[in-house]
Amino acid sequence: MREKRELPPKNERIIEPFRLFGNVYFIGSYGESSHVIDTGEGLVMIDTGSTPNLQIVLNGLEKLGFAPTDVKYIINSHWHHDHTEATRAMAELSGAKTLIGREDYEKAKRFFDADIIISEGDTLTLGNTTFEFIETPGHTKGTLSIFFNAEDDGRTVRAGMFGGAGVNTLHQGKFDYEGCREDYRKSVRRLMNEPVELFIGNHSWNNHTYEKWLDLVETGENHFVSHNAWIRFLESCERRLDETIAKDNL
Ligand SMILES: [Zn+2]
């Protein structure tokens, strides 16, 4: 990835729907990520975004040649509106079943009533893909991290998403729940044991979705599969946690 490129202001960054790798596609916006995985027997969507993101997601599906009814499941990484507000409408349009982590189920009810409640170690299989979930509390109590094998022309890579990386809820007075900082650190360290090669962003700035997409479009080089991007990001998460705690202690 080229390091010092000139980028437009954040509110002008538009990402066209595209394929990250094999059967994994991005269909969200710069601010709100949404992905679909083509399992051969339908799509699994990860996050829908807020209400204004719904049209972006629907356009994205269409541009990639999919129909809303191809979506069979919607995994919601955590309850916040920028990941789930459009889930109810998307589920109605598609007939898809919705999933949320057990500790976020009640809070998510303001946006949708999940069909399937996920606990540690649960899996979801559709077509050729099995999604594995681990509970990674911190950003919210019910944050789910998601892992699966992505396929591209006979090559298999381990894909993973940290389902809630933001330290915005770890500031004093902004806590999702008591003990969130300790949980966040434990979650980050636990995720470091996962051998992720295809790092999928819960927000585009997690894995530099925008910059890597520009690279893909401009040079044809695909930087989404990486052996160290996942670990580097998790290390930065722990640093940001330490900075957050230090700031509050000033
Ligand atoms: Zn959030």
Side-chain angles (χ1 to χ4, degrees):
M1 191 171 51
R2 276 172 287 157
E3 295 298 334
K4 285 182 183 163
R5 67 159 78 234
E6 289 283 322
L7 296 176
K10 286 179 181 173
N11 60 353
E12 291 175 18
R13 294 181 193 173
I14 291 167
I15 310 176
E16 291 294 328
F18 73 100
R19 184 159 73 156
L20 275 85
F21 176 87
N23 57 339
V24 183
Y25 301 85
F26 178 91
I27 55 167
S29 56
Y30 181 76
E32 299 179 1
S33 293
S34 180
H35 293 82
V36 286
I37 295 89
D38 184 359
T39 71
E41 291 181 24
L43 302 177
V44 173
M45 183 176 285
I46 303 178
D47 288 346
T48 56
S50 62
T51 299
N53 214 54
L54 178 65
Q55 197 56 51
I56 294 172
V57 165
L58 291 172
N59 291 346
L61 285 171
E62 192 182 348
K63 282 183 186 169
L64 293 171
F66 298 121
T69 50
D70 291 334
V71 180
K72 305 302 179 195
Y73 293 98
I74 303 169
I75 298 168
N76 295 272
S77 60
H78 66 277
W79 70 266
H80 288 158
H81 82 285
D82 53 335
H83 299 267
T84 64
E85 193 182 36
T87 293
R88 188 195 303 271
M90 190 64 223
E92 284 171 6
L93 286 166
S94 61
K97 297 261 182 262
T98 56
L99 295 77
I100 188 92
R102 66 188 167 96
E103 292 284 3
D104 274 8
Y105 171 71
E106 285 297 329
K107 283 183 174 168
K109 274 190 169 177
R110 69 194 71 181
F111 304 122
F112 70 104
D113 201 356
D115 300 303
I116 301 170
I117 298 173
I118 297 295
S119 299
E120 174 71 28
D122 283 353
T123 61
L124 168 75
T125 299
L126 182 69
N128 57 18
T129 308
T130 295
F131 297 83
E132 296 167 30
F133 301 100
I134 66 173
E135 295 180 337
T136 48
H139 179 67
T140 70
K141 200 171 187 183
T143 295
L144 290 176
S145 291
I146 304 147
F147 302 91
F148 60 96
N149 290 337
E151 303 280 340
D152 188 11
D153 207 14
R155 183 179 176 203
T156 302
V157 299
R158 189 69 171 160
M161 174 191 283
F162 180 10
V167 297
N168 55 315
T169 55
L170 306 177
H171 283 282
Q172 203 73 49
K174 301 258 176 71
F175 291 172
D176 188 74
Y177 64 101
E178 280 305 317
C180 56
R181 287 173 168 177
E182 293 77 10
D183 277 356
Y184 184 89
R185 191 182 304 280
K186 271 189 227 157
S187 293
V188 166
R189 292 194 176 169
R190 195 174 165 209
L191 288 170
M192 286 179 179
N193 295 321
E194 298 290 333
V196 168
E197 296 164 280
L198 177 63
F199 170 25
I200 300 173
N202 187 246
H203 278 292
S204 65
W205 43 90
N206 290 181
N207 68 341
H208 305 289
T209 309
Y210 180 72
E211 293 85 341
K212 289 180 181 176
W213 168 69
L214 283 179
D215 278 345
L216 194 57
V217 170
E218 291 172 4
T219 70
E221 289 175 33
N222 188 324
H223 299 294
F224 285 97
V225 175
S226 157
H227 290 292
N228 55 20
W230 171 253
I231 294 293
R232 275 210 313 261
F233 176 67
L234 293 170
E235 286 168 352
S236 78
C237 289
E238 191 160 6
R239 274 199 305 279
R240 285 208 308 276
L241 169 63
D242 289 332
E243 287 162 11
T244 302
I245 293 169
K247 230 181 236 172
D248 281 349
N249 289 342
L250 280 180

